[in-house]
Amino acid sequence: MSFVQILEFDTKRATEVESLMNEWRTQTEGTRYVRREVVAKHRDRPDHYVAVVEFSSYEEAQRNSKLPETDRFNEHMVRLCEGPIEFSNYDVIRDKS
């Protein structure tokens, strides 16, 4: 069963967040466990974003979170956000296109 982690955050530094995400992807090429990621900007709440990150399993998400590059990403991401990042964890029970 696949697994998704949803991150909600506020930032006025979206360009820097995008650069940080791209840097993490480059640094973890061949070692990361992320299957897919979608980042969306809220239409009615300026500077509010959500990232939906999909993994093959919860266990792979845990392995991904233990990568040193992920630790560095999280430390930097916190500094780019206005307030805390909210994390939610979900087991996928239905996935249809």
Side-chain angles (χ1 to χ4, degrees), residues 67-88:
L67 295 172
E69 297 88 354
T70 302
D71 279 340
R72 287 191 296 272
F73 171 88
N74 288 334
E75 288 172 14
H76 195 170
M77 184 71 175
V78 166
R79 291 192 301 271
L80 295 175
C81 290
E82 315 289 319
I85 302 167
E86 293 184 35
F87 292 85
S88 300

Side-chain angles (χ1 to χ4, degrees), residues 1-96:
M1 172 178 1
S2 63
F3 172 82
V4 295
Q5 186 169 65
I6 299 174
L7 294 75
E8 286 194 64
F9 57 95
D10 294 296
T11 185
K12 295 181 183 309
R13 301 165 72 181
T15 302
E16 291 174 72
V17 169
E18 179 71 19
S19 293
L20 180 63
M21 290 177 173
N22 290 337
E23 180 181 311
W24 179 85
R25 288 189 66 78
T26 299
Q27 291 173 349
T28 59
E29 184 68 39
T31 61
R32 69 177 171 268
Y33 295 89
V34 173
R35 275 189 8 193
R36 183 171 185 239
E37 63 181 277
V38 175
V39 179
K41 181 177 181 176
H42 200 289
R43 292 184 73 110
D44 302 318
R45 291 173 53 195
D47 305 321
H48 187 77
Y49 298 83
V50 63
V52 180
V53 186
E54 181 181 4
F55 301 90
S56 293
S57 66
Y58 173 78
E59 293 75 24
E60 285 197 356
Q62 294 305 301
R63 286 193 283 276
N64 193 77
S65 70
K66 291 178 182 167
L67 295 172
E69 297 88 354
T70 302
D71 279 340
R72 287 191 296 272
F73 171 88
N74 288 334
E75 288 172 14
H76 195 170
M77 184 71 175
V78 166
R79 291 192 301 271
L80 295 175
C81 290
E82 315 289 319
I85 302 167
E86 293 184 35
F87 292 85
S88 300
N89 300 307
Y90 295 88
D91 293 319
V92 175
I93 59 171
R94 183 177 169 90
D95 182 2
K96 301 290 181 193

